[in-house]
């Protein structure tokens, strides 16, 4: 094919092939820039915003309301970083960390004096040692758990979750970990310094909390086992409201352990500085409440009593009881506790577990 017309190629003399990155317009991002927070004053090392002792004293002491969460208003919130204690060190690795905590991490010695005879915690060479003792288990947590395991099927995987109400330094939960039981411990922030802080430094799940006026922050039927080891919770107060709250979070077929007042009152009434009559009435009232909750007493020997919750309402032969009318027993955040019994899911037969029977651990991890 013949090209009949030639196109002239004109060279532009002023072409510039140098890069011009500096001429690019920078578009400001709409995202906020990172804000830098300065460290707080060292006096705030132990500061817990919603558990501040000065603020707590402004609230009623009735029903432990002052020990519940009371968060600061916006104008009182700190906008700085809480400093670590001076000399803070990385925790000892597990399992050594169960028994030892650096003193610098929790610089409070009061419990080593107050609970010296009960072997909660000892101070040795700038390290706290936790021998595994407790007020109601002077022979150690392992021996105490062994006694519980003679009644409760802890070893076969039926018991996986536990609740420790008023946990001391959480030695019960610490030693249950060796038995594949995961315990959530709670205790108030009171004159016993840093109990929950000790638990967390040891690697044991724990929160600052109390049975007061607000529901526990757990859904219904969350725990296989719950215990009070000299927790000093007034179980018979408010028409048994605190026991009813434990019942709400306890699974059908679950166990409740009480060691401490009023159990074994004949031995300890002088030590507890209470009359025989007062303690006898208290224990009788606990027994009555347990019957209303459909808990069957399985064991009482020495300092320990154990009840088991019935697996459903059909198997319960209780007298008339005040059943909660709320349709959502899991709606708990900042909800007031009620003096009523949480109803169980309906079942078709007497042996059926309300809400469904759970697999034993570890199979429970995969089938719910």
């Amino acid at each position: 094919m013949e090209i009949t017309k030639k196109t002239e190629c004109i060279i532009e003399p002023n072409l510039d092939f140098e890069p011009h990155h500096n001429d690019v317009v920078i578009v400001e991002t709409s995202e906020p820039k990172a804000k830098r927070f300065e460290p707080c004053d060292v006096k705030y090392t132990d500061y817990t915003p919603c558990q501040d002792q000065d603020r707590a004293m402004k609230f009623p002491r009735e029903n432990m309301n002052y020990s519940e969460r009371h968060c600061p208003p916006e104008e009182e919130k700190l906008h700085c970083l809480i400093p670590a204690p001076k000399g803070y060190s990385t925790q000892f690795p597990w399992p050594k960390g169960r028994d030892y905590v650096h003193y610098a991490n929790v610089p409070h010695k009061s419990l080593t004096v107050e609970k010296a005879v009960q072997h909660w915690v000892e101070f040795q060479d700038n390290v706290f040692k936790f021998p595994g003792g407790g007020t109601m288990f002077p022979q150690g947590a392992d021996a105490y758990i062994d006694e519980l395991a003679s009644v409760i099927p802890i070893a076969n995987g039926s018991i996986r979750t536990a609740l420790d109400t008023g946990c001391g330094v959480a030695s019960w939960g610490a030693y249950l970990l060796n038995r594949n039981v995961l315990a959530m411990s709670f205790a108030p922030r009171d004159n016993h310094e840093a109990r929950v802080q000790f638990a967390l430094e040891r690697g044991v799940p724990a929160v600052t909390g109390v049975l007061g006026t607000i529901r526990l922050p757990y859904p219904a039927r969350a725990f296989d086992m719950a215990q009070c080891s000299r927790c000093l919770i007034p179980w018979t107060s408010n028409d048994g409201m605190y026991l009813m709250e434990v019942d709400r979070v306890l699974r059908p077929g679950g166990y409740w352990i009480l060691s401490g007042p009023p159990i074994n009152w004949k031995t300890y009434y002088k030590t507890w500085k209470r009359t025989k009559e007062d303690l006898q009435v208290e224990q009788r009232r606990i027994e009555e409440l347990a019957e209303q909750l459909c808990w069957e007493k399985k064991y009482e020997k020495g300092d320990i009593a154990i009840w088991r919750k019935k697996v459903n309402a059909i198997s319960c032969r209780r007298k008339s009881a005040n059943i909660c009318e709320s349709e959502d027993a899991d709606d708990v955040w900042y909800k007031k506790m009620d003096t009523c019994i949480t109803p169980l899911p309906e079942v078709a037969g007497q042996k059926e577990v309300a809400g469904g029977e759970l697999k034993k651990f570890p199979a429970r991890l995969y089938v719910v």
Side-chain angles (χ1 to χ4, degrees):
M1 182 172 65
E2 184 180 357
I3 300 176
T4 59
K5 185 177 180 181
K6 294 182 180 181
T7 302
E8 292 184 2
C9 183
I10 300 173
I11 305 298
E12 177 62 52
N14 297 322
L15 286 177
D16 183 0
F17 294 96
E18 292 299 318
H20 291 269
H21 299 301
N22 293 335
D23 296 337
V24 177
V25 177
I26 305 295
V27 180
E28 291 289 338
T29 177
S30 60
E31 295 181 4
K33 294 181 179 179
K35 184 177 180 180
R36 177 180 175 82
F37 290 94
E38 297 298 324
C40 302
D41 190 282
V42 292
K43 69 181 181 180
Y44 289 108
T45 295
D46 290 331
Y47 179 69
T48 308
C50 299
Q51 298 285 349
D52 180 60
Q53 289 294 83
D54 292 335
R55 185 178 300 105
M57 292 300 103
K58 300 176 183 178
F59 291 86
R61 300 183 72 86
E62 184 182 4
N63 294 331
M64 298 293 287
N65 178 256
Y66 74 105
S67 288
E68 295 182 305
R69 286 173 58 88
H70 298 292
C71 299
E74 188 63 36
E75 64 272 16
E76 292 183 20
K77 290 181 180 178
L78 297 180
H79 296 279
C80 53
L81 300 177
I82 301 296
K86 184 179 179 180
Y88 188 89
S89 301
T90 302
Q91 296 103 320
F92 292 106
W94 189 270
K96 184 177 181 180
R98 182 194 71 179
D99 302 327
Y100 296 93
V101 166
H102 295 288
Y103 168 72
N105 294 9
V106 194
H108 302 288
K109 292 183 182 178
S110 59
L111 282 178
T112 65
V113 178
E114 292 179 32
K115 304 296 182 180
V117 178
Q118 298 162 11
H119 304 292
W120 279 28
V121 55
E122 301 168 357
F123 180 68
Q124 302 175 351
D125 300 324
N126 292 322
V127 170
F128 287 116
K129 180 182 178 182
F130 298 85
T135 306
M136 300 312 300
F137 35 94
Q139 305 305 316
D142 261 335
Y144 177 79
I145 294 169
D146 283 341
E147 184 171 357
L148 301 183
S150 69
V151 181
I152 303 170
I154 292 174
N156 71 358
S158 297
I159 305 297
R160 172 60 177 169
T161 56
L163 181 66
D164 192 359
T165 59
C167 63
V169 292
S171 286
W172 188 64
Y175 279 79
L176 279 173
L177 285 170
N178 288 348
R179 308 189 188 217
N180 275 334
V181 176
L182 187 62
M184 174 56 75
S185 304
F186 71 80
R189 184 167 184 174
D190 57 13
N191 59 317
H192 292 157
E193 288 279 6
R195 288 190 288 177
V196 166
Q197 195 173 349
F198 275 132
L200 294 173
E201 287 290 329
R202 297 174 73 187
V204 182
V207 294
T208 300
V210 66
L211 273 170
T213 66
I214 304 298
R215 283 180 166 184
L216 294 172
Y218 310 110
R221 308 189 307 279
F223 296 97
D224 303 309
M225 175 171 66
Q227 84 136 3
C228 161
S229 178
R230 193 166 169 76
C231 64
L232 302 182
I233 293 171
W235 296 113
T236 60
S237 297
N238 301 311
D239 296 321
M241 182 172 68
Y242 301 137
L243 266 185
M244 292 174 185
E245 179 62 3
V246 171
D247 178 71
R248 183 185 68 81
V249 300
L250 194 62
R251 287 201 176 101
Y255 294 84
W256 184 61
I257 305 139
L258 177 60
S259 58
I263 304 302
N264 203 5
W265 56 267
K266 292 180 181 178
T267 301
Y268 294 115
Y269 74 95
K270 289 183 179 178
T271 304
W272 296 337
K273 298 179 181 179
R274 294 177 61 184
T275 66
K276 293 180 180 181
E277 294 74 19
D278 179 38
L279 288 161
Q280 188 175 23
V281 168
E282 182 180 344
Q283 178 153 354
R284 188 181 301 122
R285 179 58 180 149
I286 288 176
E287 304 276 6
E288 291 170 353
L289 289 167
E291 186 177 350
Q292 289 179 28
L293 296 169
C294 288
W295 294 1
E296 182 183 359
K297 195 171 190 180
K298 292 292 186 180
Y299 181 85
E300 182 175 354
K301 184 178 179 181
D303 301 339
I304 299 173
I306 301 173
W307 284 263
R308 188 184 186 206
K309 183 175 179 176
K310 295 283 189 177
V311 297
N312 58 50
I314 294 177
S315 60
C316 179
R317 298 179 180 177
R318 62 183 164 207
K319 301 175 183 177
S320 59
N322 182 23
I323 304 298
C324 299
E325 296 180 359
S326 172
E327 295 181 357
D328 190 357
D330 298 336
D331 183 15
V332 297
W333 199 241
Y334 287 109
K335 298 293 184 181
K336 291 286 186 181
M337 262 189 267
D338 294 320
T339 308
C340 59
I341 299 171
T342 302
L344 290 174
E346 295 183 1
V347 295
Q350 191 165 356
K351 294 184 179 180
E352 183 182 349
V353 178
E357 185 174 6
L358 293 175
K359 297 286 186 180
K360 294 178 180 179
F361 186 83
R364 186 190 295 186
L365 289 172
Y366 311 104
V367 181
V368 177

